[in-house]
Amino acid sequence: VVIPELHPQDVDEKAIVNTLEEDVREERRRALTMVRGSRSKNSKNDIEANLVNNSDPLMMQRLRKVFPAKDKDEAPVVAVESLSFAVGKGEIFGLLGANGAGKTTALSLLTRLMLPSSGDAFVTGHSILTSFPKASTHLGVVTQNNSLWDRLTVQSHLYLFARLRGVPEDLVKGIVENTIEQLELAPHRDKLAMNLSGGMKRKLCVAIALIGDPEVVLLDEPSAGLDPVSRRNLWTVILRTMSNRSVILTTHSMEEAEALCRRIGVMVQGQLRALGSKLHLKNKFGSGFELTVKLEGKNFEEELNRLTPFIESLFPSSTILAENGGLITYQIPKEEMKMSLIFQKLYEEKKKYSIEEFT
């Protein structure tokens, strides 16, 4: 394999760093300083030797992917731009972003589905470029699309992937049974994949990723397309099974990221643009709160005309974002919001202003 340079000449690293938010710059610095050596001409494994005992099982360092232009008059597309961050043991790192932000491409680079244009990444100290056979033994993946065979049962899938991952034959049965029990798949063990519900298929994909007990797991939109109940069940499974692993979870949903992730990175145009805990991100970037009030609806217009001046008396800068029948949403600037005041006053005046419920 041709190994890309860590410092390609066509990338202006200083220009990239200058565009980054402070928290992202600090995480980048942390990830890059985990390398205590550099590759020599004689050995491709100098960096690996310095990383094997590192505390963070997953690291990305200046990872970049450029797709060639479709037309000669167009510029090449930079899908991932010098991405650098690390994920510690026992951490679920949320990668939040819209379609086209580069989330799936970043995971595709880690799994070698694509080769990076430059940079490198390390799974338990093993380079994805020079030692992917070693790195892959510590890596579990749940892709966006279910990687299942319609005519195989749940149990057969797990036996197949246990053997593919190199689990010794005398341990296969025990590991498969433990995985079935851990993910509560026992009632479905003999069902064909084609007969499973959407939620069960995703749960089976998580079970396949966990066969062989990998230290690093990549979850690419694991709950996409699931109904709310199945989504919650899957979240419970993820929280229960990922506590000792390094996990990257990509999602469109802030709700999912809040429910599962210790840290959240917001990805835009191939680069992290914000990074931190959910509370840190809300305090730093949040523009305010939304108050949703459901009216009794006996006389909607009259009730609304009485309610709005009352809300404005509590929060002068509040504005109506949406009216949907008896459901009104107000936006309240964060500097005006007093949580104790809103609960106290709305409970006190609930009957007077025909409030059925509020959030």
Side-chain angles (χ1 to χ4, degrees), residues 324-341:
N324 184 15
L327 205 64
I328 305 98
T329 303
Y330 296 91
Q331 184 172 18
I332 301 171
K334 63 180 180 180
E335 56 271 12
E336 285 189 5
M337 171 58 83
K338 294 179 182 176
M339 207 64 76
S340 58
L341 177 68

Side-chain angles (χ1 to χ4, degrees), residues 5-47:
E5 293 292 327
L6 275 175
H7 303 277
Q9 297 300 315
D10 62 334
V11 179
D12 188 343
E13 289 288 331
K14 287 185 178 180
I16 291 171
V17 171
N18 289 339
T19 66
L20 301 180
E21 199 267 333
E22 180 184 350
D23 296 316
V24 180
R25 280 204 305 269
E26 177 57 29
E27 176 64 16
R28 180 188 177 86
R29 185 200 62 77
R30 187 177 79 88
L32 293 177
T33 53
M34 286 180 180
V35 177
R36 297 191 298 275
S38 60
R39 285 196 188 91
S40 68
K41 292 180 180 178
N42 300 322
S43 172
K44 295 178 180 178
N45 296 320
D46 286 349
I47 290 180

